[in-house]
Amino acid sequence: GQGQCVQCVQPSACGIDTDCRAWTCAAGVCPSNDAAAGTPTTNQTTGDCQTEQCDGNGNAEMVADASDLPDDGNDCTQDLCTGGTPSNPPVAVGTACGTSPNQCDGSGNCAECLGSADCPGQDTACSTRTCDAGVCDVLNASQGTPAGTQAPGDCMKSQCDGQGAIEI
């Protein structure tokens, strides 16, 4: 308005504001207000072991953040940041998980059992506990399978009924 050439008449002529730099227009000049080094930006990715923050010169930079854990929601994996890199390695075999008495299998899976001894109940002559792919089950002997010690001469035969019980 006075015949002078100026950089700006409003802040939008100076540049686009970012999390790390805000532009102003003062007396036709475009100074910037830079956020302090270490100021977190609004552009964050949860669980990437990184924080985007201002460098004090109006720029954003990524820095390792060991508290930005990659939580995968799995009881059988660890949530780790190592040098700014996320990972979810498996926890030790036998670590409790899910509902008791479930335990981790060492490969990142929560299992009902790791072996047949982990399954409830007792093995008998007609039924055996099994653990297959982390799930407990019972294997019943076929109907008519001899069960236990047979008493000679008593005209009786102990055998399995196919349902896990002994019948005489």
Side-chain angles (χ1 to χ4, degrees), residues 9-37:
V9 290
Q10 58 187 6
S12 63
C14 298
I16 298 172
D17 287 349
T18 66
D19 288 337
C20 296
R21 176 169 283 162
W23 292 99
T24 60
C25 180
V29 180
C30 289
S32 65
N33 293 319
D34 294 340

Side-chain angles (χ1 to χ4, degrees), residues 87-99:
S87 65
N88 300 98
V91 298
V93 172
T95 301
C97 62
T99 57

Side-chain angles (χ1 to χ4, degrees), residues 72-109:
D72 64 358
N74 184 344
D75 291 343
C76 292
T77 61
Q78 301 174 61
D79 302 324
L80 300 176
C81 289
T82 307
T85 302
S87 65
N88 300 98
V91 298
V93 172
T95 301
C97 62
T99 57
S100 183
N102 291 356
Q103 54 190 317
C104 298
D105 67 1
S107 295
N109 303 303

